Amino acid sequence: MGVSKLFWRCLPVGILFICVSFFALWNITVIGPMIQELRLSDVSLSVIPSTSDNLLAVRSAQTTVSLESQNPNVDERGEWQKKQVRAFCEKHNLDDEYRFPTTPFIRKRFFRHLIFDDKYKLLFCFIPKIGCTTMRRYLFALQGLIPPETAQWDEISEEEYLEPNIYKASFLKASLKDEERLRKVKSYYKFMVVRNPLERLVSA
């Protein structure tokens, strides 16, 4: 009876160990090489710099990008991205008028990801698992919404410092009208951070 009880107590730990080992092996043998060989040949999201009236657009994926075009200097890369966006918009007859979502659920989800700073005229679109916690606390600290020292902390309570300020410094702010949101989209410097999608998947 003692051996039987010990077996059943140890069984969950054994199963967990096997699962963790399998995931680690899969990560090393499958995901690792896929990340190394990933090429920019699929549809992805890209930010249109502040010279455009739009905020986000889907980048065309018709052309396979060579290694040389994946690693140019920053200016050349920016120009290449803008050309890709313009080509996509022309192909699909997209005009320059930006339209916000009208469905309440989608509208709320969309607006909470747009953080603005009126003093520096910044508009940041954050995506989870690409360092968005760090960027949000920097922007909130710049606006005096959280103590400046919190920007240097290794860990920060999202419920205490970040989530409440989403309603003060994002497009969810109750006092903002769509006309004001559109003005910010058109005139503020817009940016976002992106990440290799497979790396982001593993991180999540």
Side-chain angles (χ1 to χ4, degrees):
M1 183 63 69
V3 175
S4 177
K5 287 183 177 180
L6 180 63
F7 171 79
W8 288 109
R9 287 179 179 177
C10 294
L11 183 61
V13 177
I15 294 175
L16 179 62
F17 176 78
I18 292 173
C19 292
V20 171
S21 300
F22 176 79
F23 178 77
L25 181 63
W26 176 72
N27 188 26
I28 293 172
T29 59
V30 179
I31 295 297
M34 289 176 67
I35 292 175
Q36 294 297 325
E37 296 176 4
L38 183 68
R39 298 294 179 263
L40 299 179
S41 57
D42 296 326
V43 173
S44 60
L45 291 178
S46 176
V47 174
I48 306 177
S50 56
T51 54
S52 172
D53 288 337
N54 289 318
L55 182 63
L56 296 176
V58 180
R59 191 167 62 225
S60 176
Q62 300 298 322
T63 305
T64 300
V65 183
S66 67
L67 286 175
E68 290 76 11
S69 65
Q70 291 186 49
N71 298 287
N73 63 49
V74 175
D75 292 336
E76 290 177 353
R77 176 66 176 176
E79 289 301 317
W80 178 82
Q81 288 179 326
K82 286 190 287 185
K83 289 179 181 178
Q84 293 292 92
V85 170
R86 292 192 189 103
F88 180 90
C89 292
E90 290 174 1
K91 178 180 178 180
H92 296 279
N93 297 318
L94 299 178
D95 56 35
D96 290 333
E97 287 300 318
Y98 190 82
R99 299 176 180 87
F100 294 120
T102 56
T103 306
F105 174 77
I106 298 177
R107 186 179 175 91
K108 182 176 181 180
R109 296 280 295 179
F110 178 74
F111 281 169
R112 79 182 309 274
H113 285 261
L114 298 173
I115 309 295
F116 64 87
D117 185 321
D118 288 329
K119 180 179 179 180
Y120 296 100
K121 297 189 181 302
L122 298 174
L123 186 58
F124 170 57
C125 178
F126 74 85
I127 303 174
K129 309 307 296 182
I130 48 82
C132 65
T133 299
T134 300
M135 292 301 301
R136 280 184 291 165
R137 61 183 177 180
Y138 284 159
L139 289 171
F140 291 162
L142 278 174
Q143 299 179 64
L145 298 174
I146 60 176
E149 60 270 16
T150 59
Q152 304 299 325
W153 292 355
D154 292 333
E155 299 291 338
I156 188 171
S157 171
E158 184 150 346
E159 293 76 14
E160 182 179 359
Y161 292 103
L162 300 183
E163 194 60 30
N165 290 307
I166 286 291
Y167 294 89
K168 300 177 183 177
S170 79
F171 272 21
L172 282 178
K173 189 174 181 179
S175 61
L176 280 182
K177 304 299 182 184
D178 277 358
E179 293 76 11
E180 179 65 13
R181 293 185 179 103
L182 185 60
R183 185 188 66 81
K184 294 180 189 298
V185 168
K186 289 185 174 182
S187 61
Y188 282 18
Y189 181 83
K190 301 172 286 290
F191 71 101
M192 69 187 298
V193 181
V194 295
R195 186 179 185 182
N196 183 305
L198 291 180
E199 289 181 352
R200 182 171 176 256
L201 177 62
V202 172
S203 176

